[in-house]
Amino acid sequence: MTKINSVSHSSRRKSRKAHFTAPSSVRRVIMSAPLNKELREKHNVRSMPIRKDDEVLIVRGLNKGREGKVTSVYRLKYVIHVERVAREKSNGQSVPLGIAPSKVVITKMKLDKDRESILDRKKVGREEKAKRKEKGKET
């Protein structure tokens, strides 16, 4: 079997090193979360890099079913912090719980011009791919 992506490594050691020493720009892409059904239909996109002020629904773990706004995206630890999802410390102080972005579903996106341009770019690419597929069927 040949390697499909020449950038990623098939070696476990090298893959782990690449993951844990990844720069912030790459971590942003790794920290993508799936969109819910309505957003997926509307934008024709399956997942997006998560960002602050997105509204999410937790789908795995002890906090399953809880909804809230993303208060911070902690790229160094590969976790996000969600509003009202915290635990009490022994001294009574409240600490936000880190949640893996793959374990949440984005229910409402904060759209700005950058994010809209990303969605448009993906949309154009998908349309071109569909056209090429149709063209291939005709011949």
Side-chain angles (χ1 to χ4, degrees):
M1 191 168 100
T2 59
K3 201 158 94 169
I4 296 164
N5 189 351
S6 62
V7 177
S8 65
H9 299 285
S10 53
S11 159
R12 180 170 192 263
R13 175 202 241 180
K14 290 180 181 178
S15 295
R16 285 178 57 81
K17 183 171 180 11
H19 179 80
F20 292 111
T21 61
S24 184
S25 57
V26 174
R27 284 175 188 245
R28 176 183 161 272
V29 178
I30 293 171
M31 293 179 71
S32 292
L35 305 180
N36 70 353
K37 287 225 169 71
E38 292 84 47
L39 288 174
R40 203 182 301 170
E41 297 289 318
K42 183 179 175 186
H43 299 294
N44 197 19
V45 173
R46 188 172 187 84
S47 66
M48 282 289 285
I50 203 150
R51 67 164 287 178
K52 189 177 173 180
D53 294 330
D54 280 348
E55 287 184 26
V56 296
L57 169 70
I58 301 171
V59 291
R60 288 285 180 273
L62 295 172
N63 295 297
K64 183 177 181 177
R66 306 260 304 266
E67 278 189 87
K69 193 180 276 192
V70 176
T71 54
S72 70
V73 179
Y74 205 148
R75 288 189 190 166
L76 191 71
K77 290 185 174 180
Y78 284 109
V79 295
I80 60 169
H81 294 140
V82 181
E83 211 172 51
R84 297 184 305 277
V85 178
R87 72 181 295 264
E88 290 273 316
K89 281 172 59 171
S90 58
N91 64 1
Q93 194 177 4
S94 168
V95 179
L97 273 177
I99 296 156
S102 61
K103 305 304 174 200
V104 300
V105 170
I106 299 173
T107 54
K108 190 176 177 187
M109 285 196 292
K110 181 177 192 280
L111 286 174
D112 55 0
K113 63 176 177 21
D114 295 327
R115 229 167 187 203
E116 282 173 357
S117 71
I118 292 168
L119 288 169
D120 291 339
R121 195 171 63 228
K122 284 187 172 187
K123 192 175 189 179
V124 168
R126 293 238 162 81
E127 287 169 355
E128 285 179 12
K129 191 176 179 183
K131 281 181 187 174
R132 275 188 270 137
K133 204 173 190 178
E134 288 294 316
K135 200 174 186 182
K137 284 182 181 176
E138 289 172 12
T139 57

